[in-house]
Amino acid sequence: MTAKFLVSKDEVIKIISDRWTPLSESQRKLLADNVRIVSFKKNDIIYRDGEPPREVMCLIAGKVKVYKDGVNGRSQIIRAIKAVDFFGYRAFFAGEEYKTSAMAIDNCVVAFLPIQLVIKFVHENNAVSMFFIRHLAKLLGTADERTVSLTQKHIRGRLAETLLFLKDSYGVEEDGYTLSIYLSREDIASMSNMTTSNAIRTLSSFAVENMIAIDGRKIRIMQDEELRKVSKLG
């Protein structure tokens, strides 16, 4: 598999080491000796629900979605991973198999680290253990907020929140408006906990109100503050 990103092992080691600073020289060497760097194409599966967790993953470049297959074959996007972020380790710490699956949203590069190496670092290095504690705590806080939003907000509020989440997570292109992530209407609906038809209608209504502009999968946020008001009011 090939991707548009060219990332060297030295760059990957620096990226991970910077997140876990300080690492000792021996730990950096172990990291270099054991890291596995894999390129994925759009829609490639990175791990599957039900598989045993054996590696910690770090998204070096690109975008990844974590999702859960629900009833009637409908999938629910749990979170979107951006570079540079770690994922795929919660199941190990919980003593479980994966409860979700991960798929490349576009071409991406992922660094894989053996779980046992990471556990060794956690035991040896307080900085690494605190990193994962903080990371899990932030994920839990975000999950709590999303649960409230997806169950209590109306359709317009949920979709506005999703668009703003994508903007805040991935940013915009050089024009300052276009989201730098292109998702299908099905994915946007999944993230907003609504049907695809409702997502399409609501996007259209936002466009009529000039809060956004739509060009295929490209979405431009034209009135950020107005969209945030819609999200806040729910």
Side-chain angles (χ1 to χ4, degrees):
M1 293 176 289
T2 58
K4 62 181 179 182
F5 305 105
L6 295 176
V7 185
S8 70
K9 177 180 280 192
D10 287 343
E11 289 176 302
V12 171
I13 299 306
K14 183 179 186 309
I15 287 169
I16 296 175
S17 297
D18 286 349
R19 302 297 300 277
W20 290 351
T21 187
L23 287 182
S24 67
E25 284 304 314
S26 61
Q27 288 171 337
R28 287 177 65 95
K29 185 178 186 307
L30 279 172
L31 192 60
D33 289 343
N34 288 277
V35 69
R36 185 167 65 92
I37 303 169
V38 183
S39 296
F40 292 92
K41 293 180 181 178
K42 179 179 179 180
N43 296 330
D44 281 349
I45 300 296
I46 299 171
Y47 70 78
R48 295 182 185 276
D49 188 349
E51 292 179 345
R54 295 189 176 94
E55 295 173 294
V56 172
M57 301 159 209
C58 180
L59 179 61
I60 302 300
K63 304 175 185 71
V64 168
K65 67 179 180 181
V66 176
Y67 65 96
K68 177 78 174 177
D69 288 327
V71 295
N72 300 321
R74 183 185 175 192
S75 66
Q76 177 74 46
I77 296 179
I78 307 300
R79 74 182 62 89
I81 309 296
K82 61 180 179 178
V84 175
D85 212 351
F86 288 80
F87 65 105
Y89 62 86
R90 187 211 62 84
F92 176 82
F93 287 127
E96 302 171 343
E97 294 178 338
Y98 286 123
K99 301 293 185 183
T100 58
S101 301
M103 176 187 288
I105 294 176
D106 56 15
N107 292 346
C108 64
V109 176
V110 179
F112 292 81
L113 295 169
I115 283 282
Q116 294 306 321
L117 177 66
V118 175
I119 296 305
K120 174 180 170 63
F121 287 178
V122 166
H123 285 306
E124 294 177 349
N125 191 318
N126 287 336
V128 177
S129 60
M130 285 305 300
F131 171 85
F132 283 105
I133 290 171
R134 291 193 184 101
H135 196 258
L136 283 170
K138 289 178 181 178
L139 288 179
L140 181 59
T142 301
D144 288 346
E145 291 180 359
R146 289 285 289 168
T147 297
V148 173
S149 297
L150 294 178
T151 54
Q152 295 189 5
K153 286 186 177 182
H154 295 295
I155 285 176
R156 283 171 60 87
R158 297 203 302 271
L159 186 58
E161 180 177 297
T162 294
L163 295 177
L164 292 168
F165 168 77
L166 293 174
K167 179 181 180 181
D168 294 341
S169 296
Y170 296 108
V172 294
E173 295 183 353
E174 292 181 359
D175 63 5
Y177 298 97
T178 305
L179 295 178
S180 63
I181 179 171
Y182 309 149
L183 293 179
S184 67
R185 298 297 185 262
E186 291 79 8
D187 279 346
I188 291 175
S190 175
M191 293 189 72
S192 308
N193 193 29
M194 62 179 66
T195 64
T196 303
S197 59
N198 278 337
I200 292 171
R201 282 195 294 268
T202 308
L203 284 170
S204 296
S205 72
F206 285 171
V208 169
E209 296 167 50
N210 295 317
M211 285 190 286
I212 67 172
I214 302 172
D215 180 11
R217 291 194 177 189
K218 292 185 178 181
I219 297 177
R220 293 191 295 276
I221 307 296
M222 309 305 296
Q223 297 187 54
D224 182 278
E225 288 304 316
E226 289 301 314
L227 204 60
R228 291 186 188 278
K229 287 179 183 178
V230 172
S231 175
K232 185 176 180 179
L233 292 173

